[in-house]
Amino acid sequence: MSTRTTPRKPVTAPVLQVHRPADGTVLAELPMTTAAQVHEKVEALRVAQPAWEALGVAGRARHLENLRDWLLDNQERMLGLMQAEAGKPRADAMIELGWMGDIVNTMAAGSPKWLADRHVRPHLPLLATRRFTVVRRPFPVVGVIGPWNFPTVLCAGDGIPALFAGAVVLLKPSEITPLACAEVVRAWREDIGAPPVLDVAIGLGEVGAALVDAVDFVHFTGSVRTGMLVAERAAKTVTPVSLELGGKDPFVVLRDSNIARAANCAVFSGLANNGQVCVSTERIYVEAPIYDEFVARVVANVRALRRGTDGPHIGVELGAMTSAAQIGIVEDHVREAISKGARVLTGGSRVERAGNWFEPTVLVDVDHSMKVMVEETFGPVLPIMKVADAEEAIRLANDSEFGLSATVFSGDVKRGEQVARRIEAGSVNVNDYGSTTTCLDVPMGGWKKSGIGSRAGSTAVTKYTRTQAIASPRVPTLDTEAWWFPYSPLKQGVVEWGLRLLNARGLRRLGLRRDLAVDGR
Ligand code: NAD
């Protein structure tokens, strides 16, 4: 029998093109990971996990500190890559790299305490002969799915606490900005020579979906819409998720505020990284008596901003927008607001040049019938609304399906804190912006549709672990225990009396005043 063989075409992986937001040209082409390869990568990581966990916190910290040092040693190249793929100016890229190093240091300092065994003294005297220990063990394989706005720190950076916890990690960076994240993983495996406990999957949403199916815990940062899909998919395998989702952060300016500081802060908090920060100021409420002066200062500040591309030396405040699709959303929000009566005081349009550029924009005469005040814009737009008093500002600030973060300005810090406690958000800064995000010692997480869980503080690490309660005898054991089989009237009497003694308070303990016990007084 003759066999005819047709020459096989080499199987070529689909290619992902990464564009420079600054001019739209192709920056790189990467082979995409298939769903089958996602599962293979997870299985390979799973094999490496027990040895990684067995290293202990100090052993794991050594490799992660090597990564921190590598980032510092390769700072110029990494910042260049981050700027090129995300369109960021130098200053915004520097924040991301600095944040990575701080994550390593903060987690290295806290993890020994957060992951330590906890010995618990039982409150029941009956159990005094047992030793109770609560042990933390990692979810073996953690998947981290990241967005494009801080593509390195919110993907590779969010994997660092999981590695501290003893988990192994598969990263899935955004398809718009995968390069710096992939470079971190390459360095981990090739330059640092760390164990093969960190890998990366490149591709579109379906690669993220395959990761959700394969891992034991999913940490997701991105839009509410995708976050809901991730949670729904993870529920099918009862896989826990933490979700860091979108926001519509309010900025409240009370009449006794330092107006100059409030205006400077509003412009920075709304326009840093082109407004593409989950905790960007997205809507501003100003008490009527100071409204005109505040608006005038904001407009002047925005007009003074420099826009463009800079290289290794800071030269501009605003770069390109990272995602071409996001410009469509920004344009839609601005146009719809104008059609409903909003006025543009500066900016308002896409810049007609190659790449993703939108003018920093200030809108007034806005209200909550407009998308720009209720949906996430995620772009360089500052809509400002005049309010009668603090009560109206608080009511409007809370009139949102989001609850990520907020800012409150007041001349009286105590009053600012009181207002902060009434805002429905996971973090609030008084007379300030970003301190809660920068301080990795406090949790950062969203309320309402802004998410589940948090990324900083001790939970940054402990959320990647499961607790295991272990009970063991403190004294030599007998052949049986009094409450094991067989039951008897004597045991019943002892148990009933014992329970009464334990649970009841006052005279009920002794079985007296049953009349009170019965009618519940
Ligand atoms: P996105 O939801 O479009 O994508 C996020 C990631 O999910 C990408 O890697 C994408 O490939 C992946 N993905 C897409 N479909 C998927 C699916 N079905 N299953 C699994 N993964 C899938 O978000 P984005 O546009 O990249 O990021 C912007 C959003 O992220 C904004 O809403 C912003 O507020 C939010 N964000 C939140 C935080 C926070 O800490 N709360 C931080 C940064 C960004």
Side-chain angles (χ1 to χ4, degrees), residues 42 45-46 49 138-143 167-170 214-218:
V42 166
L45 286 167
R46 207 177 276 291
Q49 193 275 332
F139 288 98
V141 185
V142 168
V168 292
V169 177
L170 181 60
V215 302
D216 306 310
F217 185 103
V218 181

Side-chain angles (χ1 to χ4, degrees), residues 20-25 309 320 327 350-358:
R20 281 188 192 82
D23 60 13
T25 56
T309 2
I327 292 198
R350 184 192 284 265
V351 180
E352 292 309 331
R353 62 181 264 196
N356 309 333
W357 298 88
F358 197 91

Side-chain angles (χ1 to χ4, degrees), residues 199 218 282 389 498:
D199 206 347
V218 181
E282 288 247 339
D389 53 27

